[in-house]
């Protein structure tokens, strides 16, 4: 069999260039290192840079300078900016990006804890000027948001009281899904006034059928028992149902599992506790079938000495 040498290799197949606009930001940046053809395509084509989604593993390294540099590749035509837990990003960085890209229509800033609500309001004011088109804002995880701040944002987004009450259902178990920007039917803002504590946080609804029926019956009186923020209403990590008066399964992680989800999850060989899917990476798989949770694995290692 004759092996090709680097000098015999041709340019990438044309179909490879068609997938570039669909790649996440981490893969896009990696493609710069693959070959000169990809590097030139990514330098001169703005299509891959119109929707920027930053999540793991890049989010912890995203500084203001890096943010501005990446966003500049869209040449002022950014549509979506989604920053997930980018804790190094500050108000200055976000405002620089918005000043150069005034037609952003979806802005996601969840968990960007270095941002202030004052900076967010300034950004939204720029993006809701006449002829601008911000339709969706996500700010859960930003500190010190007061009721008047929330009302200001709703006013800027053009939300009246009736629209705020008819906000799309929000389920706890899908809160980690950042790709909601692909959906057209989504709330204009991801936070609300918690009916339990009155704080501005993500407020979750219950997917349990019996709770849905009770919500419909009680909606006029606003007495929905299991609607609230994550601090006020405990929920199953897997399915998002409220766990009031619910028998719980023992979890090997810190999360809560309803009995139904616990029954369907694999268990530790020793203590019979289950990991939710979010923390399944903590399983210690040995030579035999099954796994040990981190605690049992630690005790087994200690007893072997």
């Amino acid at each position: 069999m004759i092996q090709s040498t680097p000098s015999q290799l041709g340019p990438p197949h044309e179909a490879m260039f068609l997938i570039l606009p669909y790649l996440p930001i981490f893969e896009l940046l990696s493609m710069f290192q693959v070959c000169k053809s990809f590097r030139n395509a990514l330098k001169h084509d703005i299509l891959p840079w119109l929707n920027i989604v930053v999540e793991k593993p890049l989010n912890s390294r995203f500084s203001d300078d890096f943010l501005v540099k990446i966003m500049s590749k869209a040449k002022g035509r950014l549509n979506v900016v989604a920053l997930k837990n980018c804790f190094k990003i500050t108000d200055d960085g976000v405002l620089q990006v918005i000043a150069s890209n005034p037609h952003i229509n979806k802005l996601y800033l969840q968990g960007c804890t270095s941002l202030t609500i004052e900076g967010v309001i300034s950004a939204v004011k720029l993006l809701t000027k006449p002829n601008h088109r911000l339709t969706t804002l996500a700010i859960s995880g930003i500190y010190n948001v007061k009721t008047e701040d929330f009302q200001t944002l709703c006013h800027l987004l053009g939300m009246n009281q009736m629209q705020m009450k008819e906000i799309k259902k929000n389920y706890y178990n899908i809160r980690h899904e950042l790709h909601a920007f692909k959906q057209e039917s989504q709330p204009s803002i991801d936070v609300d006034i918690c009916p339990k504590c009155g704080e501005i946080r993500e407020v979750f609804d219950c997917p349990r059928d019996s709770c849905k029926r009770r919500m419909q019956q009680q909606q006029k009186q606003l007495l929905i028992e299991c609607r609230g923020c994550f601090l006020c209403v405990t929920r199953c990590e897997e399915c998002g149902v409220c766990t009031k008066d619910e028998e719980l399964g023992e979890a090997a992680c810190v999360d809560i599992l309803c009995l139904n989800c616990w029954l369907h999850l694999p268990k530790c060989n020793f203590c019979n506790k289950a990991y939710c899917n979010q923390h399944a990476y903590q399983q210690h798989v040995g030579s035999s079938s099954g796994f040990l949770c981190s605690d049992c694995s630690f005790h087994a290692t200690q007893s072997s000495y």
Side-chain angles (χ1 to χ4, degrees):
M1 180 177 178
I2 301 175
Q3 294 184 343
S4 297
T5 63
S7 60
Q8 294 174 314
L9 296 177
H13 192 279
E14 290 182 3
M16 293 295 294
F17 294 92
L18 298 178
I19 70 169
L20 292 179
Y22 303 97
L23 293 178
I25 184 68
F26 182 77
E27 282 73 13
L28 270 181
L29 295 176
S30 300
M31 295 298 277
F32 269 100
Q33 312 300 321
V34 173
C35 66
K36 186 176 180 180
S37 297
F38 282 143
R39 185 161 58 250
N40 289 336
L42 290 170
K43 278 184 178 180
H44 302 296
D45 186 5
I46 67 168
L47 192 58
W49 308 101
L50 296 183
N51 300 322
I52 301 295
V53 181
V54 182
E55 48 191 343
K56 291 180 179 178
L58 281 180
N59 59 340
S60 61
R61 290 176 271 171
F62 238 68
S63 63
D64 284 347
D65 291 340
F66 195 25
L67 175 72
V68 172
K69 182 179 179 180
I70 293 298
M71 303 297 177
S72 67
K73 296 181 182 296
K75 295 180 171 52
R77 294 173 59 184
L78 269 172
N79 293 323
V80 175
V81 174
L83 308 177
K84 181 73 170 180
N85 296 322
C86 295
F87 54 83
K88 292 182 180 180
I89 300 300
T90 68
D91 295 345
D92 289 340
V94 171
L95 290 172
Q96 281 187 63
V97 169
I98 289 171
S100 302
N101 298 271
H103 299 293
I104 292 170
N105 56 58
K106 295 182 181 181
L107 182 63
Y108 298 83
L109 303 171
Q110 297 107 313
C112 296
T113 51
S114 293
L115 296 179
T116 67
I117 188 57
E118 292 78 16
V120 171
I121 291 175
S122 297
V124 174
K125 284 180 178 178
L126 291 174
L127 293 174
T128 52
K129 286 182 176 180
N131 301 321
H132 295 191
R133 51 180 183 173
L134 182 68
T135 60
T136 305
L137 175 68
I139 59 169
S140 57
I142 293 179
Y143 299 134
N144 302 319
V145 182
K146 299 180 175 61
T147 302
E148 52 268 31
D149 300 323
F150 173 69
Q151 292 171 341
T152 298
L153 291 171
C154 289
H155 174 72
L156 291 170
L157 290 166
M159 295 175 62
N160 56 37
Q161 292 296 321
M162 186 60 66
Q163 289 171 318
M164 290 167 62
K165 289 178 182 178
E166 293 176 355
I167 197 165
K168 185 177 179 287
K169 292 291 186 289
N170 186 26
Y171 296 121
Y172 183 77
N173 53 309
I174 62 172
R175 69 195 186 282
H176 295 297
E177 296 182 9
L178 190 59
H179 302 292
F181 69 85
K182 295 181 180 178
Q183 303 173 6
E184 293 302 324
S185 59
Q186 55 184 306
S188 296
I189 188 167
D190 69 330
V191 295
D192 200 352
I193 302 173
C194 175
K196 304 290 186 184
C197 63
E199 296 293 328
I200 308 299
R201 297 193 182 102
E202 269 196 284
V203 175
F204 300 102
D205 299 278
C206 190
R208 196 195 304 271
D209 289 337
S210 59
C211 291
K212 286 181 180 178
R213 289 193 293 270
R214 188 163 63 247
M215 287 179 191
Q216 292 173 353
Q217 295 169 359
Q218 297 176 342
Q219 199 162 15
K220 292 183 179 179
Q221 292 80 24
L222 297 178
L223 297 173
I224 302 171
E225 294 180 3
C226 61
R227 186 173 188 269
C229 68
F230 72 99
L231 292 178
C232 294
V233 180
T234 56
R235 300 186 185 278
C236 172
E237 182 68 26
E238 288 294 299
C239 67
V241 301
C242 62
T243 56
K244 181 183 179 182
D245 302 325
E246 170 92 15
E247 187 176 354
L248 303 179
E250 282 196 278
C253 51
V254 297
D255 292 311
I256 295 170
L257 295 172
C258 70
L259 186 59
N260 184 56
C261 289
W262 181 84
L263 288 171
H264 290 88
L265 289 168
K267 316 292 189 301
C268 171
N269 289 345
F270 188 78
C271 68
N272 204 39
K273 293 180 181 179
Y275 278 111
C276 67
N277 283 315
Q278 185 186 353
H279 294 109
Y281 67 91
Q282 297 179 13
Q283 298 174 4
H284 292 258
V285 181
S287 55
S288 59
S289 61
F291 71 92
L292 291 179
C293 69
S294 55
D295 286 343
C296 292
S297 177
F298 174 76
H299 292 308
T301 302
Q302 294 299 308
S303 62
S304 64
Y305 288 107

